[in-house]
Amino acid sequence: NGKFVEYDEQGIKTAEYQMVNGEVEGVLTIYKDGLKSQEITKHNGASNGKFVAYYYTDEGKLHSKLQGAFLDEKKNGLWQTFVISEG
């Protein structure tokens, strides 16, 4: 039980999450190349709730994000893609 932070062999953060009774509970944040890649809300070991995926340019600037929700591991409701433009 408690907060967990995972790192790769180079010391770069790859994940952050809370464990309760052996299951991920709350927001699981996944990092890729040091940048936030996904936020997945977990409940009772399953994806239940808000989901956000982040997409970046080759220069590491946020380009777009996909946002929606899961209910018992299945997409639920409205899913939207947001494109971030300069200015």
Side-chain angles (χ1 to χ4, degrees), residues 4-82:
F4 286 75
V5 180
E6 295 182 9
Y7 298 88
D8 66 14
E9 295 82 20
Q10 289 78 36
I12 298 171
K13 188 184 326 184
T14 59
E16 284 183 292
Y17 52 92
Q18 293 279 337
M19 294 287 285
V20 176
N21 297 325
E23 299 282 352
V24 176
E25 187 70 28
V27 178
L28 163 62
T29 305
I30 299 171
Y31 297 86
K32 183 177 179 184
D33 300 325
L35 299 171
K36 190 183 294 186
S37 174
Q38 295 182 355
E39 293 176 320
I40 307 162
T41 303
K42 300 287 223 174
H43 182 64
N44 292 330
S47 296
N48 279 301
K50 187 176 178 180
F51 171 88
V52 182
Y54 299 89
Y55 302 96
Y56 299 89
T57 65
D58 290 338
E59 294 79 31
K61 289 186 177 183
L62 184 62
H63 172 269
S64 59
K65 68 179 184 176
L66 172 66
Q67 185 171 308
F70 281 99
L71 180 61
D72 295 324
E73 296 286 330
K74 296 179 184 166
K75 286 184 176 182
N76 185 49
L78 179 66
W79 283 67
Q80 298 176 304
T81 299
F82 298 91

